[in-house]
Amino acid sequence: MRVALHALCSAAGAAWRESFPLRGRDVARWFPGHMAKGLKKMQSSLKLVDCIIEVHDARIPLSGRNPLFQETLGLKPHVLVLNKMDLADLKQQQVKKIIQHLEGEGLKNVVFTNCVKEENIKQVIPLVRGLVEGSYRYHRGENLEYCAMVIGIPNVGKSSLINALRRQHLGKGKATRVGGEPGITRAVMSRIQVCDRPLMFLLDTPGVLSPRIESVEMGLKLALCGTVLDHLVGEETLADYLLYTLNRHRLFGYVQHYGLDGACDDITSVLKRVAVRLGKTQKVKVFTGTGDVNVIQPNYPAAARDFLRTFRSGLLGPVMLDRDVLQSLPLAAP
C-alpha cells in the first residue's frame, strides 16, 4: 500500500500528454453506415407510440447522440435517460452544465439512471405518463394504454432499461436480450409491457449511430463506451486512449488495481506490466542465425482487452469522458 500511495502522489505531479495522436484515423471505417434500415422502421412505427425514450451513456452526455432522432422522431414527446450514472463522474457543477445545455437544445426531460441497480428508475414511468397526458395523442386518443419507443445508439442500456422497468413495476424478469457489446437487438420488436397501472408498453429498437461522427476523438469516446466492436478501432488504440484519458483526469486507479509500480503514460509499458501481472503471455518463434528460438512475450491484445473490460465494469472508478466539452461551457446563473 505504501508503494501504491507513493506512486499516486508522484503521478499527481507528473506531466501527461496534452493531446492524443489521431494520425488521420478513418472513423467511417469504425462506424459502418448500415443502420438506415433501423431508423426507417422506427419512423414507420411512430404512429403506434405516444412518447420517445432516448437512452444514452452518462459518461458522454453531450457526445455521440444521433441528431437524426430529433429530426425524424421529434414529433413526439421526448425523454432522455442518461444511463450508467454509476460509471460517470457526475460532479454537481457538471450535472448543472449538462442539464442547461440539453435544455438549450429543447430537451427538458432528463433522467440520470443506473438500470442495473435500478437507481432513479421510478422516475421514468410517471414522467412519460405526464408528458403523454399533457400532449396531443394524434390518432391514439381513444387508446387507454400508453406506448413509448426506446431508442438510442448501440450498447447504452435500452434493453436493460426495459427489463429494469418490468422488474420495478411488474415483478417480472427479462423480456429482452441484453449484452455487453453492440448489436444485441437486431430489429424493432413487438410491444413489451412494463407497467399495469398505468398500462404501458415499450418498443425496443436496435441501436442506431449517427451517420456522421464529428471527430476522431468523439469516435474514440464512443468506442470506449462500447458502441462498436473493439477490433474495428483496435484494442491497443482504445487502451492507449483510455490511458491518456485517465492520466489527464488524474485518475490513477489502474495503478492500484493492477499492482503497478507507478502511473505511466506509455501504453506499451503499461500493457506489458498488465500482461505479466495477469499471466497473459505467449510463445513466439524468433528466427536467428543459429536456429529458431521460442521467446515468451507479453500478449498485448489480451492485456488491452482486460484493461478495457476493467474500465467498463467501473473497477477503475467513475470517469466523465465529456469533461473537455463541459469545461468549455459557461455555467448560467441560477
Side-chain angles (χ1 to χ4, degrees):
M1 180 61 72
R2 288 180 184 174
V3 174
L5 289 175
H6 175 73
L8 294 183
C9 290
S10 299
W16 307 106
R17 288 176 284 179
E18 289 300 317
S19 62
F20 187 77
L22 303 177
R23 301 189 185 115
R25 292 182 169 95
D26 184 7
V27 182
R29 183 176 57 83
W30 303 346
F31 300 91
H34 64 282
M35 300 181 178
K37 185 177 179 181
L39 193 60
K40 285 182 180 178
K41 284 189 176 182
M42 292 182 207
Q43 286 178 282
S44 66
S45 302
L46 265 184
K47 60 181 179 293
L48 304 174
V49 304
D50 307 299
C51 182
I52 300 295
I53 301 175
E54 180 185 351
V55 185
H56 198 62
D57 196 308
R59 292 170 293 183
I60 46 171
L62 306 183
S63 293
R65 291 177 52 228
N66 191 337
L68 293 181
F69 289 152
Q70 199 73 359
E71 293 174 20
T72 60
L73 309 176
L75 296 173
K76 302 288 183 176
H78 194 126
V79 176
L80 176 62
V81 174
L82 291 172
N83 188 33
K84 306 184 183 182
M85 59 180 281
D86 56 316
L87 303 179
D89 183 15
L90 292 170
K91 294 182 172 64
Q92 186 176 9
Q93 191 176 56
Q94 290 177 326
V95 172
K96 286 181 180 178
K97 284 187 175 183
I98 291 167
I99 292 174
Q100 287 175 1
H101 183 81
L102 292 172
E103 285 180 346
E105 293 183 343
L107 263 175
K108 297 184 178 180
N109 303 288
V110 182
V111 182
F112 290 86
T113 68
N114 172 8
C115 291
V116 175
K117 295 183 180 178
E118 299 184 19
E119 295 179 77
N120 295 353
I121 291 295
K122 287 185 178 179
Q123 299 180 37
V124 177
I125 296 295
L127 183 55
V128 170
R129 182 178 186 176
L131 284 174
V132 173
E133 290 179 349
S135 64
Y136 177 58
R137 299 185 74 194
Y138 297 90
H139 302 297
R140 290 180 47 76
E142 69 281 0
N143 291 350
L144 298 178
E145 83 274 6
Y146 300 84
C147 185
M149 181 185 292
V150 182
I151 65 173
I153 64 176
N155 203 30
V156 289
K158 298 181 294 295
S159 297
S160 295
L161 174 66
I162 293 174
N163 292 333
L165 289 172
R166 279 175 60 82
R167 288 193 301 269
Q168 187 80 230
H169 295 278
L170 297 177
K172 295 183 178 180
K174 294 180 182 179
T176 64
R177 290 181 63 196
V178 296
E181 62 181 43
I184 295 296
T185 304
R186 295 292 182 181
V188 178
M189 299 176 62
S190 57
R191 300 192 311 168
I192 301 167
Q193 185 180 353
V194 294
C195 189
D196 53 9
R197 293 183 182 179
L199 182 59
M200 187 174 293
F201 298 86
L202 299 184
L203 286 180
D204 196 12
T205 64
V208 178
L209 283 159
S210 172
R212 181 177 175 274
I213 306 301
E214 291 181 11
S215 66
V216 175
E217 188 144 14
M218 181 183 286
L220 288 166
K221 289 181 185 180
L222 285 164
L224 264 190
C225 293
T227 63
V228 292
L229 297 172
D230 290 343
H231 73 267
L232 294 175
V233 181
E235 288 97 341
E236 292 175 58
T237 297
L238 271 180
D240 193 18
Y241 184 72
L242 172 58
L243 180 66
Y244 157 77
T245 301
L246 293 174
N247 286 336
R248 284 200 73 201
H249 293 194
R250 302 296 189 264
L251 300 173
F252 305 113
Y254 69 92
V255 176
Q256 290 179 302
H257 179 81
Y258 287 111
L260 307 182
D261 296 333
C264 177
D265 215 16
D266 177 61
I267 189 60
T268 302
S269 177
V270 170
L271 292 182
K272 180 178 181 179
R273 286 185 281 174
V274 169
V276 172
R277 176 80 176 181
L278 299 178
K280 295 183 180 295
T281 56
Q282 55 189 354
K283 286 184 179 180
V284 177
K285 186 174 288 187
V286 177
F287 300 100
T288 69
T290 58
D292 300 344
V293 178
N294 287 325
V295 178
I296 302 297
Q297 288 189 351
N299 188 333
Y300 291 101
R305 285 192 289 273
D306 191 88
F307 192 31
L308 294 169
R309 179 195 58 78
T310 302
F311 160 71
R312 289 167 180 160
S313 61
L315 294 174
L316 302 183
V319 179
M320 173 51 66
L321 295 175
D322 267 351
R323 192 181 74 160
D324 55 337
V325 181
L326 291 169
Q327 285 178 337
S328 69
L329 296 176
L331 183 61

